[in-house]
Amino acid sequence: MIVEHLRSIAGNIVLVIVCRYNQNRDSLRETHAFICCLLRQLLQLDATSSVPPSLLELYRKDIYPSEDGVRTLLIEAARLISRPIFIVLDALDECPLGFDLVAAIESLGHDFNLLITSRDVFSQIKDYPSLPIRAADRDILALVDSKISKLRWICEDEDLQSAVRSEVVARANGMFLLASLTLWELEHDVASKVDVRRVLTSIPVSLDDAYHQIFVRIGKQGARMKQLALQAIMWIYADFGNPVNWNKLYWWELRLVFACNMISMSGSDFPEPPSANTIVDACGGLVSAPRDVALAPAFIRTPCSRSTHS
């Protein structure tokens, strides 16, 4: 909505950076990658007036610009356009560079207007004018509708479908994450229609409550699954919790850690570590498994950090 509004105003140029926790971490470690992205977008949106002569000269000589050179080209291109340029930086809290990326964009000068969306996890946010935002109910409803066919106790019961739609939208309070965690529970942690209604009556009203419910649910599992979940969260959190060394953690690496741990515990030479699906199920929605990488979104740092300091 924000991007569409900015683009609807005649003369505006809007550049967008979307940070997502399941992106390739290797491409997110340097501000240079983001500056290159902004330059590419600007040239694509206004190729007739935004191409600096120095860039054309580099192209003719088949020379790739240095990091400082790319930054200079972006500034030159902006000055050639003489139109309002807005940079929308979405989900900054999911970017390992954090406010270093903001500082890099602000250093480009006054030709750029910066708009950031983020959860309130950075102390620097208080230094900027801000407004609370929330997802529209229709967007939360679209999320629910996209998942409802996977909910086995719900997909064939129209009354339950209606109840799920209304309750999740009403209690999500505009937070996609809260709705997603509830939908995960409905998909993985119900065994009857009675369980569905139990979940709907106990939907958390805040993310703190959602985290608490997840860890309570983890704690109610059998001893082995509970240990599996806590170890997986600890190892993934240790990998993702360091923004300086934010590496991908492949499933084979995580399973190898479990195998080594099993060897040390049991003395078995060829232990069979738990599968990725087993680990995901044990972690109660805090861990996802796209392709071959074990991922935890940035919000996992919040409950882990709080439990560490409590």
Side-chain angles (χ1 to χ4, degrees):
M1 294 288 290
I2 295 173
V3 173
E4 284 76 7
H5 173 71
L6 289 174
R7 285 175 173 164
S8 69
I9 301 174
N12 280 355
I13 289 181
V14 183
L15 313 178
V16 181
I17 293 176
V18 179
C19 303
R20 290 291 179 263
Y21 76 91
N22 56 356
Q23 286 174 308
N24 185 344
R25 286 300 189 277
D26 296 335
S27 66
L28 302 183
R29 292 182 183 175
E30 302 294 340
T31 57
H32 175 63
F34 291 97
I35 301 301
C36 288
C37 174
L38 294 173
L39 177 59
R40 181 174 63 251
Q41 289 186 57
L42 185 56
L43 295 176
Q44 289 173 339
L45 289 172
D46 197 325
T48 57
S49 60
S50 65
V51 180
S54 55
L55 178 59
L56 293 175
E57 185 65 21
L58 290 171
Y59 176 77
R60 295 188 188 101
K61 295 180 179 179
D62 195 23
I63 298 175
Y64 191 86
S66 64
E67 292 188 14
D68 287 339
V70 171
R71 180 178 175 279
T72 300
L73 288 170
L74 179 56
I75 295 172
E76 291 178 1
R79 290 173 180 170
L80 286 172
I81 292 177
S82 299
R83 294 164 57 189
I85 300 175
F86 291 86
I87 297 175
V88 177
L89 180 53
D90 183 34
L92 178 64
D93 52 294
E94 297 291 358
C95 178
L97 292 170
F99 255 77
D100 288 344
L101 177 56
V102 176
I105 294 175
E106 288 184 328
S107 71
L108 296 172
H110 299 296
D111 293 313
F112 300 91
N113 303 283
L114 179 60
L115 174 65
I116 302 168
T117 69
S118 173
R119 291 181 304 114
D120 188 9
V121 296
F122 299 107
S123 60
Q124 298 96 322
I125 283 182
K126 66 179 184 298
D127 298 326
Y128 295 78
S130 62
L131 288 172
I133 60 174
R134 66 190 300 275
D137 286 351
R138 64 177 179 274
D139 296 325
I140 299 293
L141 182 59
L143 173 66
V144 175
D145 286 340
S146 71
K147 302 289 187 180
I148 210 161
S149 62
K150 299 179 181 179
L151 308 180
R152 56 178 177 166
W153 295 104
I154 300 169
C155 59
E156 297 180 357
D157 188 319
E158 292 186 0
D159 289 339
L160 269 185
Q161 288 183 32
S162 178
V164 168
R165 289 188 177 98
S166 61
E167 288 298 320
V168 173
V169 170
R171 301 199 184 200
N173 195 27
M175 291 183 282
F176 278 114
L177 181 54
L178 194 54
S180 297
L181 291 173
T182 301
L183 291 169
W184 190 97
E185 185 176 4
L186 286 170
E187 182 179 355
H188 295 88
D189 198 39
V190 298
S192 67
K193 293 182 180 182
V194 173
D195 284 343
V196 173
R197 297 194 181 280
R198 171 188 55 78
V199 171
L200 294 180
T201 58
S202 60
I203 295 176
V205 296
S206 68
L207 290 179
D208 282 347
D209 290 340
Y211 299 145
H212 176 74
Q213 283 192 12
I214 290 172
F215 280 103
V216 168
R217 192 159 64 243
I218 289 173
K220 289 181 178 178
Q221 299 179 113
R224 182 70 187 99
M225 291 294 284
K226 176 183 176 181
Q227 181 186 33
L228 177 68
L230 295 179
Q231 288 180 333
I233 291 170
M234 177 187 67
W235 285 321
I236 295 173
Y237 170 63
D239 188 63
F240 284 100
N242 182 358
V244 177
N245 185 29
W246 206 337
N247 297 313
K248 291 182 293 186
L249 182 64
Y250 289 96
W251 278 111
W252 69 263
E253 294 175 314
L254 185 57
R255 296 183 76 227
L256 181 60
V257 171
F258 275 110
C260 292
N261 186 60
M262 292 165 67
I263 291 174
S264 65
M265 295 292 290
S266 65
S268 173
D269 292 332
F270 301 102
E272 178 62 30
S275 67
N277 288 336
T278 300
I279 297 172
V280 169
D281 287 343
C283 292
L286 289 181
V287 175
S288 60
R291 298 180 298 278
D292 56 348
V293 182
L295 292 178
F299 73 80
I300 198 173
R301 286 175 283 172
T302 304
C304 287
S305 297
R306 288 176 184 172
S307 62
T308 300
H309 294 94
S310 61

